[in-house]
Amino acid sequence: MENITKNVTGLEVSSAKSLPSSDGAKSGYDLPVYGLENGQFYSIHIPAITCIILSFISVVAILVASFRLQSIKTFFSWTKSERFVVYLALCDGLFNVAHSMDHTHIVLTRNHVYPKELCEFYGFMLAEFITAQNLMVNVVALNVFVLIYFKKDLNFGAYDYRLLLYTFGLPCVGGSVAAYFGTLGPNGTFCYFDGVKGELVNVFFTTVPLLAVLLMNIVFYAMTWRKISTESRRLQHTLGQEAATIRASLQAAKTMSLFVTAFFAQWWAMALYGIWQMIAPVPQSLFQFVTTFSNIGGILNGVVYIIIRRRRATAKAKKMATKEKQFQDIKSVSEKVENSSV
């Protein structure tokens, strides 16, 4: 009985130590490297690095395919969906590069990333591109909502400067302020916000905005798809130019909604982690979900890209078939006229 009690106590202590404790620590460098004490070190970093590599390969494939099919010189005349694919791929790719370096550094040294400035740089890169991606997908959801409900397409300005200034400029300012006050650094697993000095900043920079964006996207998504379903049923037997315009808007909305779906798939675990962390110790399984799903953005974006290309190819084939049918009808009428005149 005494041995059983000791074993149970040992498991409780091991579980309590599964996440780094900040008691008495002055910075993230005073925290233990997460996973070394409970044997979970490689089971965290190796899957994360694997997902990052696969994601980066997908990003490269997307960019190569995008610019092979269309010229970079005409980029800002591409459809919004096609431009969003490139923007999100760049976010994922730069995020992958920075995140793979800090994970690899930690795996090789079995220690935190040194020097401190290097870890702060990795943390800044993650803060910049995670936030940029969140804001960009939120703009997509808003654009779809406005397109469907108000029949207006958001104007991002020449060369998308409004979109880019908002999605990349705002996180850059926030990350720079965080770096100035020394809140970037190791959190025990990778470089992001310091696990001690940056705990509060992490909540307001990552957890709160991510939850707000998720909730807003859910509301926009639900209302948009409700409207799309209603309009689709109404237009089933409607013809004319107005109906064709509305159908085109619905198709564009459905395409852009794919980005919102991919966003949910990538960030649901981190959002849940942020809430759970404020209430109780986070279980190992949820932490594993975070390190997996948050690192597969490039793969999800690749799936969206494939669907967009297939839909565009299908639409093009239908358009060609319609033109061919019209041509055949005109040809048939002409032949009948000629025969009758003879």
Side-chain angles (χ1 to χ4, degrees):
M1 186 69 181
E2 185 178 351
N3 290 335
I4 294 174
T5 304
K6 286 181 179 178
N7 289 337
V8 171
T9 304
L11 287 172
E12 290 174 350
V13 171
S14 175
S15 177
K17 289 182 179 180
S18 63
L19 289 172
S21 173
S22 60
D23 295 340
K26 294 181 180 180
S27 77
Y29 284 101
D30 296 326
L31 299 175
V33 176
Y34 182 43
L36 286 178
E37 292 185 356
N38 59 10
Q40 299 295 323
F41 181 76
Y42 290 110
S43 66
I44 293 168
H45 292 283
I46 299 303
I49 291 173
T50 302
C51 290
I52 289 170
I53 291 172
L54 293 174
S55 179
F56 186 73
I57 291 171
S58 179
V59 165
V60 172
I62 290 169
L63 294 176
V64 170
S66 295
F67 291 112
R68 178 176 291 178
L69 292 170
Q70 300 184 83
S71 172
I72 191 172
K73 294 179 181 179
T74 62
F75 177 74
F76 293 102
S77 65
W78 296 8
T79 66
K80 278 187 176 180
S81 295
E82 290 167 336
R83 299 203 304 276
F84 277 129
V85 165
V86 173
Y87 291 144
L88 291 172
L90 290 173
C91 284
D92 283 317
L94 294 168
F95 166 80
N96 292 152
V97 170
H99 208 25
S100 65
M101 287 181 178
D102 71 344
H103 271 296
T104 303
H105 190 126
I106 294 168
V107 168
L108 293 176
T109 63
R110 294 173 63 86
N111 200 352
H112 296 297
V113 173
Y114 289 95
K116 178 174 68 73
E117 291 77 13
L118 181 59
C119 192
E120 288 176 340
F121 171 73
Y122 290 149
F124 175 83
M125 291 287 283
L126 263 63
E128 168 71 16
F129 295 112
I130 287 174
T131 310
Q133 189 178 48
N134 293 345
L135 293 177
M136 188 163 292
V137 175
N138 190 227
V139 171
V140 173
L142 177 63
N143 187 83
V144 172
F145 176 78
V146 172
L147 180 65
I148 292 301
Y149 272 86
F150 302 101
K151 306 295 186 293
K152 292 182 179 180
D153 205 9
L154 293 183
N155 182 9
F156 296 146
Y159 304 109
D160 292 338
Y161 83 91
R162 291 177 185 147
L163 172 70
L164 300 178
L165 192 62
Y166 172 64
T167 56
F168 290 101
L170 194 62
C172 183
V173 172
S176 298
V177 172
Y180 177 79
F181 287 102
T183 56
L184 296 175
N187 60 15
T189 309
F190 51 87
C191 294
Y192 192 36
F193 287 101
D194 189 288
V196 177
K197 296 188 294 182
E199 279 187 311
L200 188 61
V201 178
N202 185 35
V203 170
F204 287 100
F205 197 98
T206 304
T207 305
V208 172
L210 181 58
L211 289 173
V213 168
L214 274 171
L215 289 174
M216 289 172 65
N217 286 354
I218 288 171
V219 172
F220 286 146
Y221 197 74
M223 294 180 70
T224 297
W225 274 100
R226 181 183 176 186
K227 185 72 172 179
I228 287 174
S229 299
T230 303
E231 288 291 294
S232 296
R233 286 194 297 270
R234 185 175 70 84
L235 293 172
Q236 271 185 339
H237 306 292
T238 305
L239 300 175
Q241 183 59 41
E242 183 181 355
T245 302
I246 295 174
R247 284 195 181 93
S249 297
L250 293 178
Q251 188 58 47
K254 289 177 181 179
T255 300
M256 284 191 284
S257 294
L258 292 170
F259 296 108
V260 183
T261 305
F263 175 82
F264 290 148
Q266 183 176 3
W267 297 111
W268 71 270
M270 182 172 279
L272 182 58
Y273 176 89
I275 298 172
W276 203 307
Q277 192 178 34
M278 292 186 289
I279 300 172
V282 181
Q284 172 70 31
S285 57
L286 178 55
F287 189 78
Q288 198 74 52
F289 279 131
V290 172
T291 57
T292 300
F293 281 93
S294 61
N295 290 319
I296 61 172
I299 298 171
L300 296 171
N301 197 28
V303 172
V304 170
Y305 175 78
I306 292 170
I307 294 173
I308 289 174
R309 296 307 309 177
R310 284 184 175 178
R311 284 184 177 179
R312 186 169 181 178
T314 302
K316 189 176 180 180
K318 285 182 179 178
K319 190 174 181 180
M320 291 295 292
T322 302
K323 285 185 177 180
E324 181 66 24
K325 186 176 183 301
Q326 290 174 346
F327 176 76
Q328 293 294 336
D329 290 343
I330 293 172
K331 186 178 179 181
S332 176
V333 170
S334 298
E335 288 176 351
K336 287 180 181 178
V337 170
E338 288 177 3
N339 292 334
S340 62
S341 60
V342 172

